[in-house]
Amino acid sequence: MTQTIAPRVRTLVLLLLAAACALLAGAGPASAHAALTGSDPQQGAVVDKAPAQVSLTFSETVSLDDDSLRVLDPKGQRVDDSRPAGTGGTTYAVKLHAGLPDGTYTVAYQVVSADSHPVSGAYTFSIGAPSQTSVSVDGQEAGGGIVGLLYGIGRYVSYAGFVILAGGAAFVLACWPRGSGVRPLQRLVVSGWLALTAATLLLLLLRGSYTGSGKVGDIFDLSLLGQVLQTKSGASLVSRLLLLAAAALFIAVLFGAYDKREDEERKDLTFGLAAGGTVVAAGLAATWALSEHASVGLQAGLAMPVDVVHLLAVAAWLGGLTTLIVALYRAPAGTPVPASAVRRFSRIAFGSVVALVATGVYQSWRQLGSWSAFTDTRYGQLLLVKIALVAVMVGTAYLSRRWTAQLAGTADVVAPRREKEGEKAKEQVSVAGGRKEAKGSAASKGSGGSQRAAQLARQRAAMDTARKKRLRDADPHRLGLRRSVLAEAGIAVVLLAVTTVLTQTEPGRTEQEAQAAGRSTASSSTATSGAVTLDMPFDTGSANGKGVVRVELDPARVGDNDLHLYVEDTDGRAFDIPEVKIAFTLEAKDLGPLPVVPEHITTGHWSASGVQLPMAGDWEVAVTVRTSDIDQVTISKNAQIG
C-alpha cells in the first residue's frame, strides 16, 4: 500500500513544481508600477512653435538620471540639455534647445518607480507639421532580457531563502528544540541562509543594469554599483546583508551551544534566541516592505508594518512546513519528530493563517481599490489564484491536523510495544553476535579480535537503526501525516511562486488609475470620439447659388484627421462648384485660421487627409463656397475637437 501511494504523492509534488516554474517563466519583465498619466506636449500633438521644455507626469514619484528623459529630433539627435528635474509633485521636465526646426520629435523615458521597478516608454509630437520620418526608439524594455530574467530568479530565491531560514529556525526553537541536533534540519536552515545571502548579492550586482541599460556587461560596472548604493533599493539590499551577518551568529548558537546545554540552561537561552531571532527576522522582512509595494501609495505608514507581519506569517507557516516535512522524511530513526512538535507547529500554523488572512484582506483592499480589479487587472487575477491556493493549503492542513491528533492518540500505545520489540531484537542480535564471537575467538587474537568486535558493533548498530526506521515507517498515522504534509509543501511552492510574481506586477489600483487618467487625457487631447458631421446651408445670391455643404471630420481628434466635404443642391442632388475651401480657428487659444484646400474626388465630393488639429477645444469650421467668378460666401459652424 505504501509503495503504491508514495509515487502518486511524488508525482503531485513534481506537477506542482512544474506549475511553479511555468508561473515564473511566464512572469516576464516586471510591470511598470508608475504609469505615465500626462505629458506636455501631449502625445501626437502638433504645436505651432517649439516648446521650451518637455514635461511628463507619472502616477507616483520616480527616480531619474541624465538619460531618463531624452528628446530626439527627426534625425535621431538629442535636443535636450540632459538634466531632467522634478517640477513639483510627480511631474518631471527636461529643457529643449532653442530654435528647433519643424518636424516630428520623439520623447523617450526610462525611470525607476518609487517601489523599485523600472518604467520605460516613448511617444512623439510635432512642431509646425509632422515630418515624413521620425526616430524609432529600439530600446530593450525596462526590466527585460537576460538581466531581467536573472533578477526575477534572484527575487524568487531570496523569498524562498528567507522563508526557509526564518521558518526553519522558528520551528526548531518553538516546536522541536531537540531538532537543533538533527543534521538534516541544520543543513536546511543553513541552506536557506546561503540562498538568501547569494540572491541578495546577485540582486545588488544586477540592480544597476536592471534599471538601466539591461546589458550583461554592466553587471560589474562599479560606477553603476555606486549609484545603486545611493538608492532606496540599494540601501535595503545592503541592510539585508548586514542583518544576514547577525542571522549567521543566531544559527551558530542555535545549532551549536544550544544543543549542548542542559535543560535548565537551554530554557534561559531559548528566551534570548527567541527575542533576537524575532528582531532579525522582522528586520529582514522590513527590507522588502521599505522598498517595494508597501512603501508607496495609500497609507504607506500603516502598510509597511502590516507587510512585515504578512511576510513573517508566511515564513512561519511555509518555512515551518518545509522543516516539518524534512523532519518526517530525513530525521534519524533514533530521533523521530514527536507528535508534540507537530501539535505545536499546528497551532503556530493556525495563528499564521489568521495573520495572513487579516493582513491579506488589508493589502488586497489597498492594492486593488475595487471589486472589478479582481477580474479586470492582472494583479487581481493573480491574487485570485493566490487565494485559491491558500484555501487548498488550509484544507490540506486540516487533514494534517487530523493525522496529528491520531498520531498523538496512538503514541502511548505504540511506544511500549516498540520497546518490547526493540528489547527482543537486541537479545537476538546479542545471541547471534555471541555465537559468532565464540566461533571466531579461537582464530582471532590481539588486534584481530578488536577489529572483529568493532565490526560486530557496527553490524548491531546498523540492524538497530534499520529496525527503528522500519517500526517508525510502519506507523499508518505517521505515514498519513507525511503524505498530507508533502502535498501541502508542494502547494506551498506554487503559492510562493505566485506571491513572487505578484510583487513584480502592477497593483490593480495603480493600473486602473492609470487607465482612468489615460481615458481622461484621451477625452481632452487625443480622444477618438468618432466623425463630426456639420451641415451648413449656403446662398451666394446667384442662380443655382443655393445648397448645403456637409463637412465630415474623422475622427475629430487632436492630430491627424480625414476630411470629407459634400455639396448638394436644395433637392439633395450632388453638384460641382468652381471652388470650395475650409479653415479651422480656435479663438480661445488665438490659433488659426488653419487653411485646408481639399481635392476634388467626384461630383459634389472633395476630401483631404492628414488634417492636423494641434489642440483640443471648440473649433470654428469656416467653409468658403464659390459658385461663379464673382459669387461666393463663407459660412461657419463650431465643432468640438477632442
Side-chain angles (χ1 to χ4, degrees):
M1 183 67 178
T2 303
Q3 294 177 348
T4 58
I5 294 180
R8 298 177 185 175
V9 178
R10 295 191 187 98
T11 302
L12 173 62
V13 174
L14 290 175
L15 289 174
L16 291 168
L17 287 171
C21 294
L23 279 169
L24 288 174
S31 301
H33 295 190
L36 182 68
T37 58
S39 62
D40 185 18
Q42 296 169 346
Q43 181 175 355
V46 179
V47 296
D48 56 347
K49 62 179 181 179
Q53 65 178 23
V54 169
S55 63
L56 303 180
T57 301
F58 295 91
S59 59
E60 63 183 50
T61 57
V62 298
S63 301
L64 307 95
D65 56 32
D66 290 345
D67 291 327
S68 291
L69 302 182
R70 296 179 296 139
V71 183
L72 310 176
D73 66 12
K75 296 180 181 179
Q77 302 298 318
R78 288 190 68 167
V79 295
D80 59 85
D81 66 0
S82 303
R83 290 191 299 272
T87 60
T90 57
T91 300
Y92 305 84
V94 61
K95 295 186 181 300
L96 303 182
H97 299 165
L100 296 180
D102 291 354
T104 300
Y105 291 76
T106 301
V107 180
Y109 59 90
Q110 181 165 328
V111 298
V112 181
S113 64
D115 58 358
S116 77
H117 297 280
V119 185
S120 64
Y123 75 92
T124 61
F125 72 93
S126 300
I127 299 175
S131 54
Q132 293 183 353
T133 61
S134 62
V135 177
S136 177
V137 182
D138 296 326
Q140 178 176 277
E141 182 182 1
I146 184 65
V147 172
L149 177 62
L150 291 174
Y151 197 87
I153 293 173
R155 287 172 60 86
Y156 178 78
V157 173
S158 64
Y159 275 114
F162 171 73
V163 165
I164 292 174
L165 169 62
F171 179 88
V172 171
L173 195 61
C175 302
W176 192 25
R178 192 181 176 190
S180 61
V182 175
R183 185 68 64 180
L185 299 192
Q186 295 176 358
R187 286 196 292 263
L188 177 69
V189 176
V190 171
S191 298
W193 184 90
L194 291 173
L196 180 54
T197 303
T200 302
L201 288 170
L202 177 66
L203 293 175
L204 194 59
L205 290 173
L206 292 173
R207 182 70 190 172
S209 179
Y210 173 69
T211 59
S213 65
K215 298 178 181 177
V216 177
D218 289 342
I219 293 177
F220 299 101
D221 188 335
L222 295 181
S223 62
L224 277 179
L225 181 60
Q227 295 174 13
V228 168
L229 295 178
Q230 299 176 20
T231 64
K232 181 171 67 173
S233 298
S236 295
L237 291 172
V238 172
S239 300
R240 191 179 301 166
L241 288 174
L242 295 175
L243 287 165
L244 283 169
L249 178 61
F250 172 87
I251 293 173
V253 175
L254 178 63
F255 295 126
Y258 183 74
D259 181 53
K260 298 175 182 178
R261 297 293 178 92
E262 298 296 333
D263 290 342
E264 291 299 327
E265 295 177 342
R266 184 179 293 178
K267 289 180 181 179
D268 296 334
L269 188 57
T270 299
F271 177 78
L273 286 174
T278 301
V279 171
V280 172
L284 289 171
T287 61
W288 279 282
L290 292 172
S291 62
E292 296 194 350
H293 284 177
S295 63
V296 295
L298 187 66
Q299 298 180 352
L302 176 61
M304 286 188 286
V306 168
D307 197 48
V308 170
V309 173
H310 190 82
L311 286 172
L312 291 177
V314 170
W317 185 18
L318 302 189
L321 183 68
T322 304
T323 310
L324 175 60
I325 198 170
V326 170
L328 286 170
Y329 276 87
R330 297 299 181 187
T335 54
V337 58
S340 59
V342 182
R343 286 199 304 271
R344 292 191 194 103
F345 172 70
S346 182
R347 289 192 291 268
I348 292 174
F350 178 77
S352 299
V353 171
V354 172
L356 283 173
V357 171
T359 56
V361 168
Y362 172 76
Q363 288 180 333
S364 300
W365 167 80
R366 182 174 177 270
Q367 301 291 5
L368 289 176
S370 66
W371 291 107
S372 61
F374 271 111
T375 55
D376 295 345
T377 65
R378 185 166 183 264
Y379 187 94
Q381 294 163 0
L382 285 170
L383 188 58
L384 287 176
V385 174
K386 180 179 178 180
I387 292 171
L389 287 171
V390 170
V392 174
M393 274 198 70
V394 170
T396 310
Y398 172 74
L399 295 178
S400 298
R401 288 174 65 91
R402 292 186 60 186
W403 285 116
T404 302
Q406 294 176 6
L407 179 64
T410 59
D412 296 335
V413 177
V414 174
R417 179 168 56 86
R418 286 182 178 175
E419 290 179 0
K420 291 180 180 179
E421 292 178 357
E423 291 174 357
K424 184 177 180 181
K426 286 180 179 179
E427 290 177 0
Q428 293 174 351
V429 171
S430 298
V431 171
R435 289 173 181 172
K436 289 181 180 179
E437 266 187 56
K439 290 180 180 179
S441 59
S444 300
K445 296 180 179 180
S447 60
S450 300
Q451 293 177 357
R452 182 61 178 169
Q455 182 180 6
L456 289 173
R458 288 195 296 270
Q459 290 177 351
R460 294 192 193 101
M463 293 175 63
D464 188 50
T465 300
R467 176 190 56 78
K468 290 180 179 179
K469 186 176 184 300
R470 186 169 57 255
L471 291 174
R472 182 193 68 182
D473 293 343
D475 187 346
H477 303 300
R478 184 176 294 273
L479 185 62
L481 177 63
R482 290 170 66 178
R483 292 174 190 155
S484 63
V485 171
L486 182 61
E488 194 176 347
I491 300 169
V493 172
V494 184
L495 179 62
L496 187 61
V498 173
T499 301
T500 305
V501 176
L502 266 176
T503 63
Q504 302 179 79
T505 304
E506 185 174 1
R509 183 187 293 271
T510 303
E511 184 178 340
Q512 289 194 325
E513 287 176 354
Q515 291 172 353
R519 287 193 295 270
S520 176
T521 301
S523 65
S524 63
S525 60
T526 59
T528 56
S529 56
V532 168
T533 302
L534 303 174
D535 288 331
M536 294 181 278
F538 67 88
D539 184 359
T540 62
S542 63
N544 299 322
K546 292 183 179 181
V548 177
V549 173
R550 174 172 294 133
V551 178
E552 293 183 356
L553 194 65
D554 186 15
R557 65 171 184 176
V558 173
D560 288 341
N561 291 270
D562 290 328
L563 172 70
H564 293 273
L565 188 148
Y566 302 91
V567 178
E568 300 175 350
D569 61 18
T570 54
D571 295 328
R573 293 189 298 268
F575 74 102
D576 285 336
I577 55 177
E579 185 181 20
V580 60
K581 296 184 295 184
I582 190 169
F584 296 86
T585 303
L586 184 59
E587 294 182 357
K589 299 293 184 180
D590 195 22
L591 186 61
L594 305 178
V596 177
V597 180
E599 296 181 0
H600 185 255
I601 304 300
T602 186
T603 302
H605 182 198
W606 289 258
S607 74
S609 60
V611 177
Q612 290 287 330
L613 298 177
M615 299 183 68
D618 190 20
W619 285 80
E620 180 190 68
V621 182
V623 180
T624 299
V625 177
R626 184 170 64 84
T627 57
S628 68
D629 291 340
I630 59 174
D631 298 313
Q632 72 175 33
V633 66
T634 299
I635 51 180
S636 65
K637 270 190 175 183
N638 284 9
Q640 185 66 37
I641 303 299

